[in-house]
């Protein structure tokens, strides 16, 4: 018989003779000390059929040891070892079990629940080590580990992991209710009146500049998005892509910009009518800064522009009207899809799997001179049709004047329509449109958040308005920088009394879009090296959220669309030679430096010709942009100049191949110069003026090639005739230049939602 068993037996006899009752609460025993060990190899545990006194006194051993532990300094080494070995017997494999003396069952349910506590958070059972003599040495848990869901180390990790994300909703405006619901579902922390310290996410209602004091975190608006999604700028961006890729960008209706292209519009329409007398085209006029259907009207003759309120003098876009739209219940409708641009570099795009279908409130008829003014028949804008007496507010997702897009797809599928093909075409349209917008957005981005300046990162939800033609081809109507995220609608509850009531359709779609946008922008996910794929099993403090309603389409489909990013490569050159941080216009010196560094001048294309080209293009674009307060060459003007240079150098090729060929020449020249700069030496040219330009235009070795961080020390200067041909070294950029630029930048204070 081992010494261990003898000591245990002696201890039990002493306890039995003392007559002490076992009335100490067993929960206290568990809290004070828990020993995890395997039963000794040579000793059997105390059998359940033993004497009642022995079984009642088994937990008393732990009580005795607890009392002894309070005065460890009084105990000798042998006493401490004895206490340790005594406690190892009843603590079998991480559980403490008290048995009834007669039946072997637990004393009661409550005691059993207290006793059957397992040590959690350890990840595995702790067992004793077996010595050579066959006895097992019990393992004592560290003092900081207690019975509970986690030990201290795990608790700290959990606390750090579960630290709530902070969201500043002070500027959220009309999207506030959907945003609040989303934050509650995620169990994040909202700051409705702002916060002195930085928040993780700032939710603005209108533009990036709703709050200009943000230096960290994430903002739900991109700089320049409002400007880029005005009717004219969107048309120009798509038109540039149509020049390079006419077949890929045929989803945007033929458009003209007024008033600058009025004569062109009038001439083309007159020629088309003369060639085919049966043609009776209809056109829709959209004010450049219009929203919610304001100022939109239809015409059938260019001469009508002069008749209607002098509208030919206003900045607007005229587009071909789609005569044969897809009808449901004899009504024309459009699709509002929500698209998340998560970042520009790298480009990440998500599309909501669910959208809204917005119906007209008057049966459709092809446009004629008699019904051109019937807005409830031709225009699908919700803000217009909601004023109609035929508008139907429905609690159902598949009926009424506003329905879910999935309900429309279900009806189409029941008629044999290939829904996958429809979705594929829509995804292609969205990706191509954003690719057309990205180049100028990058210029705005570096103007507001220059390299080296502290600032937030950005993301944004866009509203795409898409019309399905009768042949199911999607057509882009417009893109909204501030799509309405209201989840309620105004309803007249009594004569003259209106109140907002919940809209089930809006809540179903919009809350999911905002909630999953926040999930994707979760700072914890962004910091992780291996971000969690947010699918159905996304736990948030024990709560399962719905599966993601946002589907990534880019870079998922990069291979199919990467060839369209040609203008982005031109933008990288433009940003490289801008020079001044925060500037958006290329000065004459920067343009000449671009020509020299890329070696585009020769005996047939002198620098004097370069200066003339710069003057002509810059002046023409200045006349087309009357609101611009900056002098110099903007990105669109630079793209036009680049196209001209490509056509001049590669005359026999199509435009797209001309542009790509010139890009390869420029990129190769700059790459060679970068290699030459690796040792610190500058490439030498024959003249001192060239050396000065190169030294100002070269890229610093080892610097990242991120488009937002490609900058040189060459400042863009204001257009000035005496300086055009001067090779003098550009002036040094100062902080005053940047502050002046910030003061001159146009501000947008309107709260416009579409």
């Amino acid at each position: 018989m081992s010494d261990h068993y003898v000591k245990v037996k002696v201890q039990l006899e002493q306890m039995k003779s003392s007559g002490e009752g076992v009335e100490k609460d067993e929960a206290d025993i568990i809290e004070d000390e828990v020993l995890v060990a395997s039963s000794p190899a040579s000793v059997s545990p105390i059998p359940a059929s033993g004497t009642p006194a022995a079984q009642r006194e088994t937990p008393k051993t732990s009580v005795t040891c607890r009392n002894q532990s309070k005065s460890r300094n009084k105990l000798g080494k042998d006493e401490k070892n004895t206490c340790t070995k005594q406690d190892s017997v009843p603590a079998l494999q991480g559980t403490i079990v008290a048995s009834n003396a007669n039946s072997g069952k637990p004393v009661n349910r409550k005691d059993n629940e207290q006793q059957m506590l397992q040590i959690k958070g350890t990840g595995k059972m702790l067992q004793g080590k077996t010595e050579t003599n066959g006895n097992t040495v019990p393992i004592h848990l560290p003092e900081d580990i207690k019975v509970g869901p986690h030990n201290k180390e795990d608790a700290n990790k959990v606390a750090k992991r579960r630290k709530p994300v902070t969201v500043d909703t002070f500027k959220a405006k009309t999207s506030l209710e959907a945003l609040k619901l989303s934050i509650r579902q995620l169990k994040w922390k909202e700051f409705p009146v702002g916060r002195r310290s930085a928040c993780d996410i700032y939710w603005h209602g209108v533009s990036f500049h709703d709050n200009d004091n943000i230096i960290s975190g994430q903002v739900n608006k991109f700089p320049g998005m409002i400007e880029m999604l005005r009717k004219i700028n969107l048309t120009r961006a798509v038109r540039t892509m149509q020049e390079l890729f006419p077949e890929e960008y045929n989803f945007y209706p033929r458009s003209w910009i007024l008033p600058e292209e009025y004569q062109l519009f009038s001439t083309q329409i007159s020629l088309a009518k003369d060639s085919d007398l049966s043609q009776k085209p209809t056109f829709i006029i959209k004010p450049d800064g219009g929203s919610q259907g304001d100022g939109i009207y239809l015409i059938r003759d260019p001469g009508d522009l002069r008749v209607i309120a002098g509208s030919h003098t206003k900045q607007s876009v005229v587009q071909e009207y789609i005569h044969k739209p897809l009808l449901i219940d004899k009504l024309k409708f459009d699709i509002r899809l929500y698209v998340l641009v998560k970042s520009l570099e790298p480009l990440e795009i998500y599309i909501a799997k669910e959208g809204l279908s917005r119906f007209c409130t008057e049966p459709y008829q092809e446009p004629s001179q008699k019904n051109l003014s019937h807005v409830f028949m031709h225009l699908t804008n919700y803000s217009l049709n909601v004023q109609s007496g035929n508008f139907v507010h429905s609690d159902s997702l598949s009926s009424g004047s506003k329905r879910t897009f999935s309900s429309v797809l279900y009806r189409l599928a029941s008629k044999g329509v290939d829904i996958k093909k429809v979705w594929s075409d829509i995804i292609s349209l969205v990706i191509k449109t954003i690719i057309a917008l990205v180049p100028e957005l990058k210029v705005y981005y570096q103007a507001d958040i220059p390299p080296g300046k502290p600032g937030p990162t950005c993301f944004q939800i866009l509203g795409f308005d898409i019309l399905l033609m009768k042949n199911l081809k999607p057509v882009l109507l417009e893109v909204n920088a501030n799509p309405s995220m209201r989840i309620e609608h105004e309803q007249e509850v009594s004569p003259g009394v209106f109140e907002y009531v919940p809209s089930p359709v809006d809540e179903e779609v919009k809350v999911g879009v905002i909630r999953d946008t926040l999930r994707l922008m979760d700072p914890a996910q962004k910091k992780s090296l291996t971000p969690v794929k947010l699918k159905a099993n996304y736990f948030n403090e024990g709560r399962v959220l719905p599966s993601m309603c946002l589907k990534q389409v880019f870079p998922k489909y990069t291979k199919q669309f990467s060839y369209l990013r040609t203008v982005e490569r031109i933008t990288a050159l433009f940003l490289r030679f801008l020079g001044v941080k925060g500037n958006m216009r290329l000065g004459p010196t920067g343009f000449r430096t671009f020509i020299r560094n890329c070696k585009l001048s020769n005996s047939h294309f002198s620098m004097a010709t370069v200066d003339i080209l710069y003057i002509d293009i810059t002046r023409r674009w200045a006349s087309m942009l009357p609101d611009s307060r900056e002098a110099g060459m903007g990105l669109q003007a630079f793209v036009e100049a680049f196209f001209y240079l490509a056509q001049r150098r590669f005359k026999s090729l199509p435009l797209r191949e001309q542009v790509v060929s010139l890009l390869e020449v420029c990129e190769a020249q700059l790459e060679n110069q970068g290699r030459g700069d690796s040792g610190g030496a500058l490439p030498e040219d024959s003249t001192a003026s060239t050396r000065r330009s190169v030294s100002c235009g070269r890229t610093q070795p080892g610097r990242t090639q991120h488009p937002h961080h490609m900058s040189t020390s060459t400042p863009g200067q204001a257009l000035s005739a005496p300086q055009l041909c001067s090779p003098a070294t550009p002036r040094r950029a100062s902080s005053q230049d940047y502050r002046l630029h910030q003061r001159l930048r146009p501000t947008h204070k309107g709260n416009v939602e579409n």
Side-chain angles (χ1 to χ4, degrees):
M1 184 179 294
S2 66
D3 295 338
H4 172 76
Y5 185 78
V6 171
K7 292 180 179 180
V8 171
K9 185 175 182 180
V10 171
Q11 183 77 9
L12 292 175
E13 291 296 333
Q14 292 176 352
M15 293 171 58
K16 182 178 180 181
S17 61
S18 64
E20 295 178 0
V22 188
E23 298 178 357
K24 182 68 176 176
D25 191 349
E26 294 173 353
D28 293 338
I29 301 173
I30 298 173
E31 289 176 358
D32 283 308
E33 192 166 345
V34 177
L35 300 178
V36 182
S38 299
S39 58
S42 59
V43 180
S44 299
I46 299 175
S49 58
T51 62
Q55 294 199 10
R56 286 196 305 270
E57 290 165 358
T58 298
K60 191 64 179 179
T61 307
S62 296
V63 176
T64 304
C65 291
R66 183 193 60 183
N67 294 333
Q68 291 176 356
S69 65
K70 293 181 180 179
S71 57
R72 289 182 178 178
N73 56 342
K74 298 180 182 180
L75 292 176
K77 180 178 181 181
D78 293 339
E79 291 175 323
K80 293 180 182 180
N81 293 339
T82 302
C83 175
T84 300
K85 294 181 180 180
Q86 290 166 352
D87 280 350
S88 67
V89 176
L92 300 176
Q93 296 184 357
T95 61
I96 299 177
V97 183
S99 300
N100 186 283
N102 299 323
S103 62
K105 298 180 180 179
V107 177
N108 57 55
R109 183 174 181 180
K110 180 178 179 181
D111 292 340
N112 184 43
E113 291 176 352
Q114 291 176 338
Q115 293 160 0
M116 295 296 293
L117 294 176
Q118 293 187 356
I119 298 178
K120 301 178 181 178
T122 58
K124 61 181 181 179
M125 280 301 215
L126 301 178
Q127 295 187 351
K129 297 181 180 179
T130 303
E131 294 184 325
T132 55
N133 60 3
N135 293 335
T136 301
V137 179
I139 297 177
H140 288 266
L141 298 178
E143 293 182 359
D144 60 347
I145 297 182
K146 297 182 179 180
V147 173
H150 303 282
N151 57 34
K152 286 185 178 181
E153 182 179 356
D154 289 339
N156 291 336
K157 291 181 180 179
V158 171
K160 185 176 181 180
R161 183 171 65 250
R162 294 185 179 180
K163 183 180 179 181
V165 180
T166 56
V167 184
D168 186 332
T169 63
F170 183 53
K171 302 287 186 177
K173 295 187 181 296
T174 56
S175 60
L176 183 60
E177 291 303 317
L179 182 60
K180 284 179 175 290
L181 282 176
S182 301
I183 293 173
R184 273 190 234 116
Q185 291 179 13
L186 294 170
K187 296 187 178 180
W188 289 3
K189 192 169 184 180
E190 177 196 1
F191 287 87
V193 293
R195 185 189 188 192
R196 287 186 178 181
S197 56
C199 281
D200 296 311
I201 296 175
Y202 296 84
W203 199 274
H204 291 178
V206 181
S207 76
F208 174 81
H209 296 285
D210 284 356
N211 185 349
D212 289 324
N213 300 319
I214 302 173
I215 60 173
S216 64
Q218 303 173 89
V219 179
N220 72 315
K221 302 291 182 183
F222 278 101
M225 188 66 83
I226 291 180
E227 293 84 349
M228 279 307 301
L229 292 182
R230 289 177 176 270
K231 309 296 188 299
I232 290 179
N233 285 336
L234 174 62
T235 298
R236 284 179 174 147
V238 175
R239 183 182 291 176
T240 298
M241 300 302 291
Q242 287 176 334
E243 291 184 56
L244 294 173
F245 310 97
E247 295 181 358
E248 286 84 346
Y249 281 82
N250 61 1
F251 55 81
Y252 193 66
R254 193 164 52 145
S255 307
W256 296 265
I257 297 171
L258 302 178
E260 64 193 69
E261 295 178 351
Y262 170 75
Q263 195 60 47
L264 176 63
F265 166 62
S266 180
T267 302
Q268 289 181 346
I269 299 307
S270 298
L271 291 175
K273 287 184 176 181
D274 293 341
S275 61
D276 187 356
L277 297 178
S278 62
Q279 282 194 4
K280 295 181 180 180
T282 304
F283 304 94
I284 183 168
I285 314 301
K286 301 178 180 179
D288 182 41
S291 63
Q292 300 179 344
D294 292 342
I296 298 179
Y297 60 93
L298 276 63
I299 63 171
R300 305 205 74 185
D301 189 275
D304 295 340
L305 284 168
R306 299 180 179 181
V307 177
I308 303 177
S311 57
H312 67 288
T313 62
K314 298 179 181 179
Q315 289 278 316
S316 42
V317 170
V318 54
Q319 288 182 338
E320 284 185 305
Y321 181 83
I322 306 301
H323 287 79
K324 296 184 178 180
L326 178 67
L327 304 179
I328 291 183
D329 299 331
K330 298 182 180 181
L331 299 173
K332 180 181 177 182
F333 69 96
D334 73 353
I335 305 162
R336 164 61 62 85
L337 281 184
Y338 297 95
V339 176
L340 169 66
V341 181
K342 187 181 177 185
S343 68
L344 295 182
E345 190 64 41
L347 181 60
E348 290 188 62
I349 307 171
Y350 291 78
I351 296 181
K353 300 176 184 177
E354 184 63 282
L356 298 173
S357 298
R358 306 175 302 182
F359 285 75
C360 289
T361 51
E362 186 176 330
Y364 178 77
Q365 297 176 7
E366 287 199 13
S368 64
Q369 199 64 41
K370 295 181 179 180
N371 63 24
L372 287 182
S373 60
H374 293 199
V375 293
F376 300 146
M377 176 191 297
H378 297 296
L379 303 182
T380 55
N381 302 73
Y382 167 79
S383 54
L384 290 177
N385 282 279
V386 74
Q387 302 174 23
S388 169
N390 297 327
F391 192 93
V392 178
H393 290 289
S394 175
D395 291 338
S396 171
L397 304 182
S398 58
S399 63
S401 297
K402 185 189 288 187
R403 314 173 193 177
T404 59
F405 181 43
S406 60
S407 68
V408 171
L409 291 177
Y410 179 80
R411 288 191 61 172
L412 295 178
S414 65
K415 297 180 180 180
V417 174
D418 186 353
I419 301 303
K420 290 185 178 180
K421 177 65 166 55
V422 174
W423 258 118
S424 176
D425 292 342
I426 290 175
I427 291 172
S428 176
L429 179 151
V430 169
I431 294 175
K432 291 174 181 177
T433 302
I434 292 179
I435 286 177
L437 297 172
V438 164
E440 192 127 11
L441 286 175
K442 287 185 175 181
V443 178
Y444 278 101
Y445 193 97
Q446 68 86 36
D448 280 285
I449 312 176
K453 177 188 174 185
T457 56
C458 303
F459 64 96
Q460 189 156 351
I461 298 172
L462 306 178
F464 274 69
D465 291 345
I466 299 170
L467 182 73
L468 287 179
M469 297 178 63
K470 192 173 183 179
N471 61 1
L472 299 177
K473 176 185 176 181
V475 175
L476 177 65
L477 300 180
E478 62 182 26
V479 185
N480 299 288
N482 295 312
S484 174
M485 303 304 287
R486 285 187 180 274
I487 56 174
E488 67 278 335
H489 61 83
E490 195 176 53
Q491 182 173 314
E492 188 174 12
V493 293
S494 61
V497 180
F498 294 84
E499 68 177 11
Y500 283 102
V501 298
S503 172
V505 178
D506 289 302
E507 185 171 340
E508 173 72 18
V509 176
K510 297 174 182 178
V511 172
V513 170
I514 292 180
R515 180 192 64 235
D516 292 343
T517 294
L518 294 175
R519 288 164 71 177
L520 287 169
M521 304 310 299
D522 186 343
Q525 301 296 339
K526 298 189 74 174
K527 293 178 182 178
S528 175
L529 295 177
T530 56
V532 178
K533 292 184 178 180
L534 302 177
K535 295 184 179 179
N537 296 326
Y538 181 85
F539 288 84
N540 187 62
E541 295 187 4
R543 184 175 182 179
V544 181
L545 295 172
S547 60
M548 290 289 289
C549 74
L550 295 175
K551 174 185 177 181
Q552 187 191 80
V553 296
F554 202 91
K556 182 177 181 179
Y557 301 125
T558 301
K559 293 182 180 179
Q560 293 93 315
F561 299 97
S562 59
Y563 73 98
L564 299 174
R565 306 183 72 177
T566 303
V567 180
E568 286 187 62
R569 294 168 64 185
I570 300 176
T571 305
L573 297 175
F574 178 78
L575 292 172
R576 182 187 182 106
F577 292 99
L578 266 182
V580 178
K581 291 182 178 181
N583 194 14
M584 294 181 63
R585 300 298 178 95
L586 186 66
T589 305
F591 188 71
R592 298 173 87 246
T593 303
F594 156 68
I595 297 294
R596 282 201 182 98
N597 285 15
C598 295
K599 301 187 183 303
L600 300 182
S601 61
N602 51 42
S603 58
H604 301 289
F605 188 66
S606 64
M607 295 306 296
T609 308
V610 171
D611 294 335
I612 294 173
L613 175 65
Y614 178 88
I615 294 173
D616 289 344
I617 293 180
T618 303
R619 284 180 177 174
R620 189 164 57 79
W621 276 91
S623 66
M624 293 190 297
L625 303 172
D627 296 335
S628 175
R629 301 181 182 182
E630 295 182 62
M633 178 179 281
L635 176 62
Q636 292 174 333
F638 182 79
V639 170
E640 180 182 330
F642 196 90
F643 283 12
Y644 171 82
L645 295 172
Q647 291 171 323
R648 182 185 180 97
R649 183 154 183 162
F650 304 97
K651 297 180 180 179
S652 60
L653 299 176
L655 177 61
R656 175 169 45 181
E657 296 181 20
Q658 290 172 341
V659 171
V660 172
S661 298
L662 185 61
L663 273 170
E664 292 173 351
V665 170
C666 295
E667 291 167 350
Q669 290 293 338
L670 296 175
E671 183 179 358
N672 291 335
Q673 290 180 19
R675 292 174 181 172
D677 290 347
S678 60
L682 299 179
E684 296 294 333
D685 282 331
S686 57
T687 63
S689 62
T690 303
R691 286 196 299 272
R692 284 193 293 268
S693 297
V694 170
S695 64
C696 292
R698 70 185 184 94
T699 303
Q700 297 180 4
R703 193 163 182 175
T704 178
Q705 295 302 307
H706 189 296
H708 297 162
H709 302 282
M710 287 183 179
S711 62
T712 66
S713 58
T714 305
Q717 296 179 342
L719 181 60
S720 176
Q723 296 178 352
L724 283 177
C725 299
S726 172
T729 304
R731 295 175 299 171
R732 178 176 59 85
S734 66
S735 58
Q736 293 180 353
D737 297 331
Y738 180 73
R739 288 196 295 270
L740 177 62
H741 159 71
Q742 290 294 85
R743 287 201 303 271
L744 294 179
R745 292 184 72 257
T747 58
H748 301 273
K749 299 181 180 180
N751 179 19
V752 179
E753 287 190 349
N754 291 321

